[in-house]
Amino acid sequence: MRDDSRRGGPTGGRRVDVQALARTIDDDVIPRLALRHRQEAAPAEPNPRAPAARSGEALPGEREVRAYTKLVLDGADAQAASMLDALRARGCPVETIFLHLLQPAARLLGELWCDDRIDFAQCTLAVGRMQRVMRELSQAFAAECEPAARAHRALFVQASGEQHGFGLSMLAEFFRRAGWDVVGAVGGAAGEAAERVRREWIDVVGFSVGSEVQLDRLRSAIAGVRAASQNPRVVVMLGGPLFVERPELLAACGADGGAVDANQALLQAARLVAERNASH
């Protein structure tokens, strides 16, 4: 495993966060988020508005994830696009492609980088290519479900110093499709979150963090959000590989929870908001 303490250069000595909700919902789907210990984790509750799989649909497997990851690393855009077209032709909805191909591919890129099998530039370019693909599929993704009335607002924040926000971007896609008003997301500064919740009503604040070096700042940012929020019942969620590996850090940082993917994040965020509103 790559030793983060010895790294300099463009990474700034911090681990790259290339996890997708979305290991939302996240991460993301950043929202999302009540992460249980792995051994206690129950299967994700199905999204009631998600498209039904066609008969005979086969989920992308590890072989396809590795093949797709190699294509985006090599910059083979045409071949990568053909692979996605083939998946959709055999009945895979865009949600399946997001959660079972792009998200694990992003995670694999992070593992390859941490193991020194690819360099920072390769990782960054590959994640950028997948960001572009996700944007291109965004309209089709939204069209897979009936539009919902916007009811809640989520603020997603990328910790300062984090280099990639693929998971946060995916998380935002899932929340928007479910009818949430999403603000912030990639590029949002953690230090600005308190000012944002002071000015606007926010139901859920989701932070994406990829390295332990950010934890002290994160605790301070969460405390600032709770002290400043217009909404006294604001829900704070955390996302990123760190919290999947060490879920005990969620409570230690002052968060209400986290989730392993974007769908779980979305469901957990809705549940937590509903529970807090019902109790008042």
Side-chain angles (χ1 to χ4, degrees):
M1 175 68 75
R2 180 187 289 255
D3 179 4
D4 283 358
S5 65
R6 66 174 170 81
R7 298 206 307 277
T11 67
R14 297 177 174 89
R15 178 176 177 169
V16 175
D17 176 12
V18 293
Q19 173 139 343
L21 237 70
R23 262 178 186 201
T24 66
I25 282 131
D26 191 78
D27 323 354
D28 56 352
V29 140
I30 335 106
R32 343 196 326 359
L33 304 162
L35 178 63
R36 300 175 183 140
H37 290 274
R38 294 179 187 175
Q39 63 270 30
E40 298 174 346
E45 180 182 339
N47 183 344
R49 300 194 311 113
R54 295 181 190 174
S55 177
E57 175 194 340
L59 297 178
E62 182 179 353
R63 172 188 285 180
E64 286 170 304
V65 170
R66 291 189 175 277
Y68 184 78
T69 303
K70 185 177 188 309
L71 291 175
V72 295
L73 275 170
D74 292 343
D77 294 343
Q79 294 94 319
S82 294
M83 187 173 179
L84 296 183
D85 289 342
L87 286 171
R88 298 190 70 187
R90 79 185 195 200
C92 287
V94 177
E95 178 174 315
T96 296
I97 291 171
F98 278 7
L99 291 177
H100 297 281
L101 184 70
L102 298 188
Q103 185 168 276
R107 201 173 312 120
L108 178 57
L109 286 170
E111 293 171 3
L112 293 173
W113 184 79
C114 287
D115 291 342
D116 287 326
R117 296 168 62 187
I118 60 175
D119 61 29
F120 179 79
Q122 289 175 298
C123 184
T124 298
L125 288 171
V127 170
R129 292 178 185 117
M130 291 202 300
Q131 290 270 24
R132 185 178 68 247
V133 168
M134 192 162 60
R135 287 195 298 270
E136 291 170 352
L137 291 174
S138 178
Q139 186 173 358
F141 179 60
E144 287 180 347
C145 289
E146 291 295 325
R150 298 196 179 278
H152 299 302
R153 171 171 281 199
L155 168 64
F156 295 150
V157 181
Q158 185 176 354
S160 59
E162 297 295 334
Q163 301 296 326
H164 297 302
F166 183 80
L168 206 58
S169 295
M170 183 178 290
L171 189 61
E173 290 284 348
F174 274 77
F175 272 68
R176 289 191 183 102
R177 188 179 72 160
W180 287 62
D181 182 14
V182 178
V183 296
V186 178
E192 299 171 0
E195 182 58 32
R196 192 79 185 246
V197 299
R198 181 181 289 111
R199 298 195 315 263
E200 307 171 41
W201 182 276
I202 301 291
D203 296 286
V204 172
V205 178
F207 292 90
S208 175
V209 179
S211 170
E212 286 192 58
V213 301
Q214 300 285 348
L215 292 185
D216 286 342
R217 292 181 187 174
L218 178 63
R219 291 186 190 97
S220 177
I222 291 174
V225 162
R226 294 198 187 281
S229 178
Q230 279 190 33
N231 178 5
R233 301 182 294 278
V234 65
V235 171
V236 177
M237 304 179 79
L238 303 179
L242 178 62
F243 302 106
V244 175
E245 297 165 2
R246 299 182 59 192
E248 71 278 5
L249 290 176
L250 292 168
C253 290
D256 298 304
V260 297
D261 66 25
N263 255 331
Q264 285 191 11
L266 178 58
L267 292 167
Q268 295 290 354
R271 180 181 63 79
L272 288 169
V273 169
E275 288 176 353
R276 293 201 170 183
N277 289 341
S279 65
H280 289 80

